[in-house]
Amino acid sequence: MIPRASLALRRSRSTATLAPNHAGNPLAIVACSVQSEYEVGPRDGPRARKAFDEISHRGAAAGSDRALFDYARGYAQAGAHSDVMGLFFRMQARGIWPNSFTFTSVLSAVASHGAPEVGRCVHAQSVKFGCRSTVFVCNSLMNMYAKCGLVEEAKTVFSGMETRDVVAWSAMLTCYAQAGDSDGATSLFIEMTTQGLKPNEFTISSAIDACACPAAGVDLGRQFHAVSIKYRYQDAICVSSALVSMYARKGSIENAQSLFLSQTDRDLVSWNSMISGYAQHGYSKKALDTFRQMEAEGIEMDGITFLAVIIGCTHAGLVEEGQRCFDSMVRDHKINPNMEHYACMVDLYSRAGKLDETMSFIGSMPFPAAPAIWRTLLGACRVHKNVELGKLVAEKLLSLEPLDSATYVLLSNIYSAAGKWKERDEMRKLMDTKKVKKEAGCSWIQIKNKVHSFIASDKSHPLSEQIYAKLKEMTARLKQEGYCPDTSFVLHDMPEEKKETMLSMHSERLALALGLISTPPGTPLQIVKNLRVCGDCHTVIKMVSKIEHREIIMRDFSRFHHFNSGTCSCGDFW
């Protein structure tokens, strides 16, 4: 939609014109402005709302209610979502009853706002006015519930549909994708095809999106890639873009790159996915090169584009380049930075050890910093051993989120790293008093379509005896190659020997050992961890990749690490 400064509307499919003598007629203004062949922009709002008020006070003429409904739809398409919801309730207050078109428009607005309580109210009214059984109202309800994170409600709507077209199945698949439920998406796709329905490109792209979630197996996405080829949709832009995103998020950056380069047409999703993929995998130069290619081709960028490229700069310590991108976003592209952009800049400065600059940047923000921003800075205080600033940041965080376990753990770790065991013990006691539980570190590895999970010192696995034997053998070989355990990553006051033992039983090492004993030599391994990989484990996995001649891909909570021949794609900066 293209907003305009006046209500003189541009036709797209009609040759009719708005006659001059209609200029003062409020009903004509609204009715003409909302027909589907006209574009309606947010800036048209004040005059049209005034016309709406005049119509309501005079009594709506025949046909004006439909015109107003269409106006609501046009407003939703133009992105003026709060106005849509306001107009919806004002219509009913003045005796103008909604129809199916109205409900689809309002539900779209609710989905964009993420207002579940309003959505439930609109759902109830769709039942009251007999529109609930309409297929496209049901599809809109599913979309709204999915955007609000209410998958069970979406499933209830889907289950209650008497007839389901391919759009309905696609909408439900999108719900599963947004919830990260790859198993649900797979089961639904199989059920759909079993019933004889042929998926379209949007159905398949939604299924591929679901495969990108962390819980999905690494092979599931490849299977849906094969499905897209079977139905000859692999070149549809929504499918190819979903594949680029899925492969990048599942650790196969080479496959993502190959698909991206083979695309004859690329949408913004493709470009953003490729830049983000390069950034998350440690290929910051490629992320910047792709970003510059976008600029050279004159492709319109959005906030996600700049977020991705700044993340790339963050993971490579390119502070000046990241600052230039941020400034260009605001100055040249007129994109207002949101909290995520500011959080990324804080991460950029603090990772590079520029803690004073970080505090100045936070102070210059146009709105109060979110807890995530303070948490990022607190993590940097841990890495750079800045105890005093860490205490100040932790106090700020605890005032915002008194029961957030990460704050207590990070400050406790700062004290431990500085050898302040008394302060560390006090922090742990405070956690116990407030009943705050630390999130346990956990690692996963998939072997032959089965996912195996581990926590530190885990001995519950059926192959536990073989795993620990492999760990012992691996540690001995590493020491022969010059490995010296960095016990500073053990944040407990205990003898050095016990610290070394604790390090050797970190969850990522247990997953690695299982992978080594369960797969043929030379087989690539992929491990996922819910927390940041510790520095000593990072060193160990680098060395193992060389000794065992393996490519090892690790996904920690913020990025991918590609270990190969004794090096890591992160360049030891993460």
Side-chain angles (χ1 to χ4, degrees), residues 265-414:
D265 292 309
R266 295 172 186 151
D267 60 4
L268 190 58
V269 174
S270 290
W271 287 98
N272 287 349
S273 296
M274 200 66 251
I275 294 171
S276 178
Y278 282 139
Q280 293 290 342
H281 286 265
Y283 303 112
S284 299
K285 185 180 183 301
K286 289 185 177 181
L288 284 165
D289 288 345
T290 306
F291 173 74
R292 290 176 185 131
Q293 185 183 349
M294 279 188 79
E295 285 187 312
E297 294 185 17
I299 296 167
E300 185 176 355
M301 304 174 182
D302 64 2
I304 296 173
T305 314
F306 284 94
L307 189 66
V309 76
I310 295 170
I311 287 172
C313 295
T314 298
H315 287 166
L318 302 174
V319 178
E320 292 182 2
E321 188 67 40
Q323 182 64 63
R324 275 197 294 271
C325 289
F326 183 85
D327 292 340
S328 175
M329 176 181 72
V330 177
R331 182 186 61 246
D332 303 327
H333 296 267
K334 311 302 180 187
I335 297 172
N336 292 325
N338 58 28
M339 192 67 77
E340 283 187 283
H341 294 105
Y342 284 106
C344 217
M345 291 300 294
V346 167
D347 199 15
L348 175 71
Y349 285 122
S350 59
R351 279 177 188 261
K354 298 179 178 292
L355 301 185
D356 291 337
E357 289 92 332
T358 304
M359 288 298 292
S360 297
F361 183 82
I362 292 173
S364 69
M365 288 170 53
F367 36 69
I373 288 179
W374 293 112
R375 198 174 297 113
T376 296
L377 179 54
L378 184 59
C381 292
R382 152 76 180 93
V383 172
H384 298 290
K385 298 183 171 69
N386 192 321
V387 178
E388 293 308 313
L389 181 58
K391 287 170 62 178
L392 292 173
V393 174
E395 288 174 5
K396 179 67 177 178
L397 256 175
L398 292 175
S399 70
L400 295 172
E401 293 185 341
L403 299 180
D404 177 55
S405 63
T407 303
Y408 293 93
V409 172
L410 282 169
L411 185 56
S412 172
N413 291 349
I414 290 171

Side-chain angles (χ1 to χ4, degrees), residues 26-36 40 48 52 55 60-75 87 91 96-97 99 101-102 105:
L27 177 56
I29 289 173
V30 177
C32 289
S33 70
V34 297
Q35 298 305 314
S36 60
V40 180
F52 173 81
I55 291 169
S64 66
D65 56 344
R66 174 56 187 269
L68 289 167
F69 299 149
D70 284 346
Y71 178 74
R73 180 172 55 182
Y75 233 120
L87 187 60
M91 281 180 182
I96 303 174
W97 307 130
N99 60 19
F101 298 102
T102 319
S105 299

Side-chain angles (χ1 to χ4, degrees), residues 378-497:
L378 184 59
C381 292
R382 152 76 180 93
V383 172
H384 298 290
K385 298 183 171 69
N386 192 321
V387 178
E388 293 308 313
L389 181 58
K391 287 170 62 178
L392 292 173
V393 174
E395 288 174 5
K396 179 67 177 178
L397 256 175
L398 292 175
S399 70
L400 295 172
E401 293 185 341
L403 299 180
D404 177 55
S405 63
T407 303
Y408 293 93
V409 172
L410 282 169
L411 185 56
S412 172
N413 291 349
I414 290 171
Y415 287 138
S416 298
K420 295 179 177 290
W421 301 112
K422 180 181 177 182
E423 290 86 345
R424 181 259 186 196
D425 291 342
E426 288 175 353
M427 186 56 58
R428 293 288 179 172
K429 287 177 183 177
L430 184 60
M431 288 181 69
D432 292 338
T433 302
K434 292 182 176 289
K435 298 181 179 180
V436 176
K437 298 296 182 182
K438 175 186 175 183
E439 181 182 10
C442 187
S443 297
W444 299 265
I445 187 170
Q446 181 175 328
I447 308 289
K448 295 179 181 178
N449 295 320
K450 182 178 180 181
V451 177
H452 304 260
S453 62
F454 297 89
I455 59 173
S457 307
D458 198 337
K459 293 187 178 179
S460 62
H461 195 278
L463 298 178
S464 183
E465 188 174 331
Q466 294 96 310
I467 288 170
Y468 278 90
K470 182 63 179 179
L471 279 176
K472 185 176 180 180
E473 173 208 320
M474 192 167 68
T475 301
R477 288 186 64 189
L478 289 171
K479 287 187 175 181
Q480 289 176 1
E481 295 292 327
Y483 164 65
C484 182
D486 186 348
T487 57
S488 68
F489 290 98
V490 178
L491 303 172
H492 298 276
D493 189 14
M494 58 175 60
E496 288 295 303
E497 185 179 345

Side-chain angles (χ1 to χ4, degrees), residues 7-23:
L7 203 60
L9 304 171
R10 192 178 84 186
R11 295 190 312 280
S12 59
R13 292 196 301 272
S14 172
T15 58
T17 59
L18 183 60
N21 60 3
H22 284 177

